[in-house]
Amino acid sequence: MNLTQFEWVFQMESDGNGVILDVRTEEECNDGIIPNAINIDIYQGQVFIDKLEALDKTKNYYVYCRSGARSEKACAVMNNLGFKNAFNLLGGFLDWDGEVVSPED
């Protein structure tokens, strides 16, 4: 499901079962990440699928990439793998105006 930044943040902040998932490359993450995000690079193919399979499918996933296209695909993959709730951030990190931290924080 696609959500605007306002909807994504509002829903995530009131979600006690939410996980933020960043599907960008490591190089992109070096420019900053949304706080508490887990990075799993969608370009890793089967490794990406394997890492998704290791996640708790009962949680709600708030997914983003650079512009929203890869994260939309990631949400579709997650739905096909049995994840019930995967929410795509429309506009991605490019349009994000919330807090940003370095990946090491």
Side-chain angles (χ1 to χ4, degrees), residues 33-54:
I33 63 170
I34 295 173
N36 303 312
I38 298 168
N39 175 243
I40 304 178
D41 183 353
I42 193 170
Y43 287 147
Q44 291 182 320
Q46 188 60 47
V47 172
F48 175 71
I49 301 293
D50 293 344
K51 287 181 178 180
L52 288 180
E53 288 282 19

Side-chain angles (χ1 to χ4, degrees), residues 4-36:
T4 66
Q5 180 174 325
F6 175 80
E7 295 166 330
W8 197 82
V9 170
F10 181 79
Q11 188 170 313
M12 181 182 56
E13 286 179 346
S14 60
D15 188 342
N17 197 34
V19 176
I20 302 171
L21 183 61
D22 182 332
V23 297
R24 298 177 301 156
T25 66
E26 183 179 339
E27 292 77 25
E28 289 173 307
C29 289
N30 288 336
D31 293 334
I33 63 170
I34 295 173
N36 303 312

Side-chain angles (χ1 to χ4, degrees), residues 14-98:
S14 60
D15 188 342
N17 197 34
V19 176
I20 302 171
L21 183 61
D22 182 332
V23 297
R24 298 177 301 156
T25 66
E26 183 179 339
E27 292 77 25
E28 289 173 307
C29 289
N30 288 336
D31 293 334
I33 63 170
I34 295 173
N36 303 312
I38 298 168
N39 175 243
I40 304 178
D41 183 353
I42 193 170
Y43 287 147
Q44 291 182 320
Q46 188 60 47
V47 172
F48 175 71
I49 301 293
D50 293 344
K51 287 181 178 180
L52 288 180
E53 288 282 19
L55 297 175
D56 183 347
K57 293 181 182 175
T58 66
K59 295 204 176 285
N60 303 319
Y61 290 88
Y62 295 85
V63 188
Y64 73 96
C65 65
R66 189 178 66 84
S67 66
R70 282 176 284 168
S71 50
E72 186 172 20
K73 288 178 186 160
C75 287
V77 169
M78 293 173 80
N79 290 334
N80 288 337
L81 293 174
F83 288 83
K84 299 288 183 246
N85 295 306
F87 305 102
N88 179 44
L89 175 61
L90 288 171
F93 195 74
L94 286 176
D95 290 348
W96 178 254
D97 62 7

